[in-house]
Amino acid sequence: MDLLQGLLLITSIHLLAAASPGPDFVLVSQQTLRHGRKTGLLCSLGISLGLSVHILYSAVGLAALIANSVFALLILKIAGGCYLVYLGIQGLKSKAGSMDDTPTEAIAAKPKTAARSIGSGFLCNALNPKAPVYFVSLFTLVLSADMPLYQLAIYGVWIMLIQMAWFSAVVMMLSRPAVSARFKRFGHWIDRILGGAMIALGIKLLASRQ
């Protein structure tokens, strides 16, 4: 498969994967509505960088090992599930404030630090135990024994760009004044609902058998 065909195939598959509701989507939505556009974009960047972990171990063949190792998947599942529950608890702690009469810019006046925003997105994606199986499937479709290293690097960077573009679009939509104004008054409840969803995802992950 040549480079262009591979890029088209990866684009069509990964766009569907990125758009599927999951922990990454919930986290980006929560951070954008709670802290504003900048934090949402930084979180999206962290999620995209988190993909580099999966891309790197896939490139060296570890994805197949992890996907078929019960113990490795168990450890990854526990770590990922606990982290999702932790993120959800933070959302449940959200308290009602003056969001109904505070300008949108002021809501984002006290965001998390850039490092924390990027880090939360990075860990949310990097600790996803479903990623090894997904990347094994994805790369199996495009990889070949004689594929040059530069082509593999292009595929990896392209996947990260797709992820960043999708979540940036989500952030831009949620941070629009017309949209954010509707969420302002009930912002703490939305934060709690998203936190509850994150906890549910974490518990489901911890309780799953595979």
Side-chain angles (χ1 to χ4, degrees):
M1 183 179 297
D2 62 33
L3 178 61
L4 181 58
Q5 288 178 321
L7 288 174
L8 290 175
L9 181 60
I10 285 176
T11 300
S12 60
I13 295 175
H14 196 65
L15 269 178
L16 292 175
S20 300
D24 291 344
F25 183 84
V26 174
L27 181 64
V28 168
S29 300
Q30 180 192 53
Q31 294 301 299
T32 302
L33 292 171
R34 185 177 186 182
H35 298 292
R37 180 181 300 174
K38 180 180 179 180
T39 299
L41 290 174
L42 289 172
C43 186
S44 300
L45 175 61
I47 288 173
S48 301
L49 292 175
L51 287 176
S52 64
V53 175
H54 308 301
I55 292 169
L56 286 173
Y57 65 60
S58 296
V60 297
L62 292 179
L65 176 62
I66 295 175
N68 292 282
S69 170
V70 176
F71 179 74
L73 274 177
L74 177 62
I75 296 300
L76 194 57
K77 183 176 71 172
I78 293 174
C82 290
Y83 185 65
L84 291 178
V85 171
Y86 166 77
L87 291 175
I89 291 175
Q90 300 308 304
L92 291 180
K93 291 180 178 179
S94 179
K95 298 180 180 180
S98 55
M99 296 186 74
D100 55 336
D101 56 6
T102 303
T104 303
E105 293 79 4
I107 296 175
K110 296 181 179 180
K112 299 194 300 183
T113 63
R116 287 188 60 192
S117 298
I118 295 174
S120 63
F122 180 88
L123 288 176
C124 186
N125 187 275
L127 293 177
N128 184 354
K130 295 183 179 180
V133 178
Y134 168 73
F135 277 93
V136 165
S137 302
L138 180 62
F139 279 99
T140 297
L141 295 174
V142 298
L143 292 184
S144 60
D146 57 347
M147 179 177 290
L149 183 60
Y150 81 86
Q151 189 168 336
L152 179 60
I154 291 174
Y155 286 151
V157 172
W158 183 244
I159 290 173
M160 295 170 67
L161 289 175
I162 292 173
Q163 193 88 351
M164 184 65 192
W166 165 253
F167 281 115
S168 293
V170 171
V171 170
M172 298 305 289
M173 181 189 70
L174 292 177
S175 60
R176 289 178 59 189
V179 176
S180 61
R182 297 183 179 183
F183 287 100
K184 263 196 305 186
R185 182 169 300 179
F186 306 103
H188 63 291
W189 286 112
I190 294 172
D191 211 21
R192 292 173 184 176
I193 291 172
L194 291 175
M198 192 73 77
I199 291 176
L201 287 169
I203 293 175
K204 180 180 179 181
L205 180 59
L206 290 170
S208 64
R209 296 183 178 180
Q210 57 181 1

